[in-house]
Amino acid sequence: MTTPTEADLQLEYMRRLAEKKKAKQRPECMVIVFGRGDLTTLAIQNVVAASFVRRYPGVRPLALLRDTPEAGPLVDCNPYLRYEMRMEGEITGLVDWFDIGFSAPVTCEAPEWTKGKYSSADIVFLPHMLSVPPARLDGFAEAPGCLRLPPSKQAALWSELEQAGLARDRWFAVMQAGGDGAAGLADPQSYRPAIEALLDRGGQVVRLGSSDEPQLPALPGLMDFRGAPPPLQLAAIATARLAIGGDGTMVTLASAFAVPCGLTNSVSYGQRVWAPEAIVLAKTVELADGSRLDTPAAFARGFLDGASAAAVAARHDNRPEDIAAVTVALHDATADCTGWRAGLEPQAGPAASGGIAFPLQLTAQPRMRWWQAAP
Amino acid sequence: MATSSQRLGVVVFLGYQTLGDFCFACLTAASVAAALGGARLGLIYRDDRPYKGPLVAMTPLVTASLALPADAAMALPLDWFDPNYSQAGWPEPWLAQGLHRPDLFLTPSMMWISSIIPPIPALRLPPAMEGRSVEALRRLGLDPARWFACIHMREIGYSHRSGLDKDRCVDPLSYLPMIRDILFEQGGQVVRLGDPSMTPLPHLPGLIDISRLPNSFVLQAFAASRARYFVGSDSGATQLACAFKTPSATTNALGLGVWNDGDVMLTKTICSSGGQRLSLADIRSSAMMDLHYFRLPGARVADNTPGQLVAVARHMHAMTGDCTGWRQPRVEIELGSLGLVDLPLRQRGIADETHVTWWNE
């Protein structure tokens, strides 16, 4: 056996380097650009990004974001984003930062960027590329991205929840009696039977949402957190046993924190719920011929995905008893949660076998439960 | 996000400065658009080299382009792609095509030639560029009735790369026997490409040196596209010719700068730091040519001999017997039907997947 020469060793090194490059089929370095937008938009961008990160153990994800009151706290809650650059100005980043030429005219000298070699990212997610309905994103259900309260802040936030009146030894639900915008409007009074059902079962109820919505009668165990500081509202959502609400931000955030959700009085679902245990009770769709479609039928005909909106003559609010029935079903399905919900640890995998297919693929069959209201 | 019935939108940032790298990125971008069945393709580049704008115009399937000013103070924020940011800065074609919200955003590190999705597309000159160039070459003395070869020899004085990567440079006078062979034995004409810093060549009948012409990139590209064959050194001009699918030979090579079937690769002689001369088998199996920017640490190189260069040119002449005049441009591009692409793009070993002739020493 002959001893390899220095040249042999050098050639072998290069051979292996080349083979490694050719064998690379999975992303090793991702840049995730978060955009401006409301909490719904940012929550979805976060969970979709998290979903891709968890499918690639060992990937180096870098979050690029502006440090705004909306974006910053949500990214704090994203356990999958290990590296981040928070920009204080108006600009999130520059296209030139990806220039890898020998004489790039503009480069990013931030240590986070240069050490991680993010100019050579394998994938760059722009904000709108992450703004897809998670329920319909192929592979999301198998590897959902979930947020959690930052471990370093959870104890303090829970303490604030207690100070705000929540009993530490009892579970609670969060509720938004209505939704965002005109389409999601509903009579808050229609949620009263649902609230009473939860209180009867030993829970507490935290009302969230807009302060403009009408007051509900005071009930023991019902707390009104509307107008509370956003971090406290976020902590309540993340810690709840379940969430019941209309077509609004609260339900999206609860879904992002993996809190089982009942989406009621909805006209769509794509931005709100995606977990298989979620329940959707849409507003009843009335067509021009007077026929009415319940939730499963409305979904099957695309009316919950924005299709054929012109064919809809009216959408009728859910009946109080149907909202209550959804609430009880969700309560029964969450029997394993008897106190305050602790956030999920970040989970790796299931590992993807190859790269990420673009454009991102959507499935026609989201896996939530479409509620069949009693006749 | 595009639905299945819509053409997808792909935006590529061509963040390279050198000619060869920029060519690679343009072709890879076109290959992605082609693989997606003819996606809308938007190219973004910084307009800091005279060849970038023309190359973008020569790239097939491009539906929009955005030239950033050469002034580094002017930069494109990523925020422009944010739906919740102002759209005011986007040119109208980008908005009309939805390219401000692309389905796919590709950056330079994703766009290396080994990432190209086969079949490898070709550049093509827009008709306006062609017409002007035909006349210009005629005025310079090139006979339109006879074939010509294009040549390029890398030297150290190019202003944007001055003093860099000396190992890839050559002595242009070592190519003189080859030039004479093309002119007087093969019966052709020779057009020399390059830049004004290059060593003057002796006056020879049939040798047209356009390297010294200012602002002549389009003319040089046209010549490269219409040559019967091209012999170059390890430099961007060789990749330019190859990008037009002009039969090309890269000589004095340290990287694999050609990729079309039948192209020729003649490497420099490479000795390891211990003085051991590497065989062709060593060089090929090490894949160092695919890696391009990676060099054997401490290696020393020696140039090809004039005799080797003559032999390569004769091979190219023999191989291109079907081209007896100015080469006709290629215009076809093959569209795929993938509908989607996986990122990262798969790195293919160009040397493994094409039939390049490795010149036997």
Side-chain angles (χ1 to χ4, degrees):
Chain A
M1 192 170 164
T2 57
T3 305
T5 64
E6 184 182 0
D8 291 335
L9 294 172
Q10 289 176 341
L11 287 168
E12 182 58 22
Y13 167 75
M14 297 187 74
R15 196 175 291 125
R16 289 186 182 184
L17 197 61
E19 288 306 316
K20 185 182 170 197
K21 285 174 79 79
K22 287 181 200 171
K24 178 175 169 180
Q25 294 183 351
R26 298 153 52 82
E28 295 170 359
C29 177
M30 283 182 198
V31 172
I32 298 158
V33 184
F34 289 109
R36 293 156 176 77
D38 57 20
L39 283 173
T40 291
T41 302
L42 292 165
I44 287 173
Q45 290 176 3
N46 266 279
V47 296
V48 170
S51 169
F52 284 114
V53 171
R54 70 172 281 190
R55 290 184 223 179
Y56 295 97
V59 72
R60 304 189 316 274
L62 176 80
L64 267 180
L65 65 147
R66 290 169 60 250
D67 197 10
T68 63
E70 295 80 21
L74 273 183
V75 172
D76 282 341
C77 294
N78 193 331
Y80 295 92
L81 302 180
R82 284 179 292 155
Y83 311 102
E84 60 182 45
M85 285 174 59
R86 297 190 183 211
M87 314 307 287
E88 292 181 351
E90 271 300 297
I91 298 303
T92 309
L94 298 177
V95 170
D96 276 294
W97 289 358
F98 295 100
D99 192 325
I100 56 170
F102 284 111
S103 48
V106 179
T107 55
C108 177
E109 300 301 331
E112 303 93 320
W113 185 267
T114 54
K115 280 184 187 170
K117 299 182 178 173
Y118 288 105
S119 57
S120 295
D122 296 315
I123 291 176
V124 178
F125 283 106
L126 297 174
H128 72 283
M129 292 161 69
L130 297 167
S131 297
V132 293
R136 297 195 53 207
L137 181 61
D138 198 26
F140 186 90
E142 292 76 20
C146 300
L147 308 185
R148 65 167 182 177
L149 293 178
S152 61
K153 296 180 180 172
Q154 179 174 284
L157 289 167
W158 281 16
S159 177
E160 287 183 42
L161 289 177
E162 282 189 87
Q163 289 168 19
L166 279 170
R168 181 66 183 85
D169 57 349
R170 290 167 60 199
W171 60 267
F172 67 92
V174 287
M175 173 172 287
Q176 181 178 9
D180 298 343
L185 285 180
D187 178 7
Q189 292 292 345
S190 64
Y191 285 79
R192 183 166 175 172
I195 294 169
E196 290 171 345
L198 291 168
L199 297 176
D200 289 348
R201 286 163 174 77
Q204 307 164 88
V205 177
V206 173
R207 187 180 179 196
L208 300 169
S210 168
S211 303
D212 299 335
E213 291 165 2
Q215 293 286 339
L216 288 172
L219 292 168
L222 171 63
M223 274 151 283
D224 193 344
F225 275 26
R226 293 177 300 160
L232 194 65
Q233 295 198 40
L234 207 59
I237 292 169
T239 312
R241 170 171 169 168
L242 59 95
I244 294 287
D247 212 335
T249 304
M250 190 278 286
V251 173
T252 303
L253 291 171
S255 293
F257 281 98
V259 173
C261 290
L263 174 63
T264 55
N265 278 307
S266 67
V267 297
S268 64
Y269 66 91
Q271 292 189 305
R272 303 301 180 207
V273 288
W274 46 84
E277 68 268 20
I279 299 174
V280 178
L281 173 62
K283 289 194 177 189
T284 302
V285 172
E286 181 180 334
L287 302 180
D289 63 2
S291 60
R292 294 192 172 204
L293 304 178
D294 62 9
T295 303
F299 166 70
R301 295 180 60 173
F303 289 114
L304 304 186
D305 287 301
S308 307
V312 177
R315 293 185 194 260
H316 300 283
D317 287 1
N318 298 153
R319 297 175 303 187
E321 60 269 32
D322 292 332
I323 298 172
V326 166
T327 303
V328 170
L330 208 53
H331 167 268
D332 294 347
T334 54
D336 59 329
C337 181
T338 56
W340 287 18
R341 185 178 291 280
L344 294 174
E345 291 294 319
Q347 296 172 304
S353 57
I356 299 177
F358 284 89
L360 299 178
Q361 298 298 290
L362 302 183
T363 172
Q365 293 299 326
R367 296 164 64 171
M368 296 88 64
R369 182 177 173 191
W370 309 104
W371 188 259
Q372 180 83 59
Chain B
M1 176 173 288
T3 64
S4 57
S5 61
Q6 294 172 315
R7 290 169 67 200
L8 300 171
V10 178
V11 168
V12 179
F13 171 51
L14 302 167
Y16 283 116
Q17 287 75 50
T18 63
L19 174 59
D21 293 347
F22 202 82
C23 280
F24 288 159
C26 286
L27 289 180
T28 306
S31 82
V32 172
L36 290 169
R40 292 165 285 128
L41 177 60
L43 300 184
I44 299 171
Y45 63 100
R46 191 169 277 285
D47 198 11
D48 55 1
R49 296 290 187 277
Y51 41 77
K52 288 188 176 180
L55 279 172
V56 166
M58 295 172 195
T59 304
L61 299 179
V62 176
T63 57
S65 63
L66 180 59
L68 307 179
D71 179 3
M74 304 284 283
L76 178 63
L78 287 164
D79 305 71
W80 278 30
F81 292 101
D82 182 352
N84 292 302
Y85 190 73
S86 167
Q87 299 182 0
W90 283 109
E92 195 280 333
W94 286 72
L95 294 173
Q97 297 177 52
L99 284 169
H100 60 311
R101 310 281 178 264
D103 296 286
L104 194 56
F105 180 62
L106 301 174
T107 57
S109 59
M110 311 173 197
M111 305 300 294
W112 193 241
I113 189 67
S114 54
S115 308
I116 206 163
I117 302 175
I120 299 176
L123 301 180
R124 80 282 179 273
L125 271 85
M129 289 184 182
E130 293 237 351
R132 289 196 301 270
S133 300
V134 170
E135 284 309 308
L137 282 182
R138 281 180 178 168
R139 283 198 302 274
L140 288 165
L142 197 67
D143 183 347
R146 294 168 53 211
W147 67 268
F148 66 94
C150 264
I151 61 169
H152 177 267
M153 293 84 76
R154 188 182 199 276
E155 295 185 65
I156 202 70
Y158 174 54
S159 59
H160 289 295
R161 305 271 289 150
S162 184
L164 295 175
D165 217 355
K166 289 180 184 173
D167 281 352
R168 285 166 60 200
C169 294
V170 299
D171 173 6
L173 299 182
S174 67
Y175 283 74
L176 270 179
M178 182 195 79
I179 295 169
R180 288 196 173 96
D181 196 78
I182 297 170
L183 295 173
F184 308 129
E185 300 298 329
Q186 298 175 25
Q189 308 171 88
V190 173
V191 175
R192 185 209 194 181
L193 311 184
D195 69 89
S197 72
M198 293 187 152
T199 304
L201 295 177
H203 176 75
L204 292 169
L207 170 61
I208 312 288
D209 188 344
I210 59 174
S211 67
R212 324 195 80 73
L213 294 178
N215 302 318
S216 61
F217 176 74
V218 170
L219 185 65
Q220 297 198 31
F222 174 78
S225 73
R226 294 303 196 92
R228 173 168 170 164
Y229 63 87
F230 180 95
V231 177
S233 56
D234 193 346
S235 188
T238 305
Q239 279 103 63
L240 177 67
C242 208
F244 285 112
K245 294 199 183 289
T246 298
S248 300
T250 178
T251 57
N252 281 301
L254 291 176
L256 185 69
V258 291
W259 54 83
N260 297 314
D261 290 350
D263 286 348
V264 172
M265 170 89 172
L266 172 60
T267 69
K268 288 196 177 192
T269 300
I270 305 173
C271 293
S272 71
S273 57
Q276 179 185 346
R277 178 175 172 167
L278 304 187
S279 68
L280 189 60
D282 287 334
I283 293 169
R284 292 192 64 173
S285 70
S286 76
M288 68 170 71
M289 295 296 162
D290 272 357
L291 294 170
H292 192 55
Y293 287 128
F294 293 83
R295 300 282 161 73
L296 208 55
R300 287 173 291 112
V301 299
D303 285 4
N304 300 149
T305 65
Q308 287 177 309
L309 299 171
V310 169
V312 165
R314 286 182 176 176
H315 171 81
M316 298 301 293
H317 177 249
M319 197 179 69
T320 54
D322 61 333
C323 182
T324 56
W326 291 18
R327 179 170 294 281
Q328 290 305 301
R330 301 171 65 102
V331 293
E332 78 280 10
I333 182 161
E334 197 173 326
L335 298 183
S337 56
L338 288 177
L340 51 85
V341 295
D342 275 4
L343 289 187
L345 297 172
R346 187 165 77 83
Q347 300 275 315
R348 295 167 169 83
I350 293 296
D352 303 332
E353 299 212 1
T354 60
H355 296 95
V356 169
T357 300
W358 293 68
W359 196 255
N360 192 324
E361 298 158 271

